[in-house]
Amino acid sequence: GGHVVGMTSDVEASLAVELALEYAAIGVVANSAAGTGLPVSTSSVSAAVSKAGPAVSALLAATIAVW
């Protein structure tokens, strides 16, 4: 069960289930305003992704270390 489903993660997750593959996704919510009518800019999305970079790197490193 995911809490956030993006435009592409749904297809990959469904296919992984069909093929009985282990699947994990890491997503950065960079546009939580989608569908709300609030303005979104490229710079705000880029800033959110940059801010999340160190945490994503640490998560990947920890995952690889125990895999």
Side-chain angles (χ1 to χ4, degrees), residues 37-67:
L38 298 173
V40 177
S41 68
T42 302
S43 61
S44 69
V45 171
S46 293
V49 171
S50 293
K51 182 179 177 183
V56 171
S57 294
L59 177 61
L60 285 173
T63 302
I64 290 168
V66 297
W67 194 344

Side-chain angles (χ1 to χ4, degrees), residues 5-65:
V5 177
M7 293 187 325
T8 60
S9 62
D10 182 48
V11 174
E12 286 89 348
S14 297
L15 184 58
V17 169
E18 288 181 25
L19 297 174
L21 298 174
E22 293 183 8
Y23 177 82
I26 299 171
V28 175
V29 178
N31 178 4
S32 60
T36 65
L38 298 173
V40 177
S41 68
T42 302
S43 61
S44 69
V45 171
S46 293
V49 171
S50 293
K51 182 179 177 183
V56 171
S57 294
L59 177 61
L60 285 173
T63 302
I64 290 168

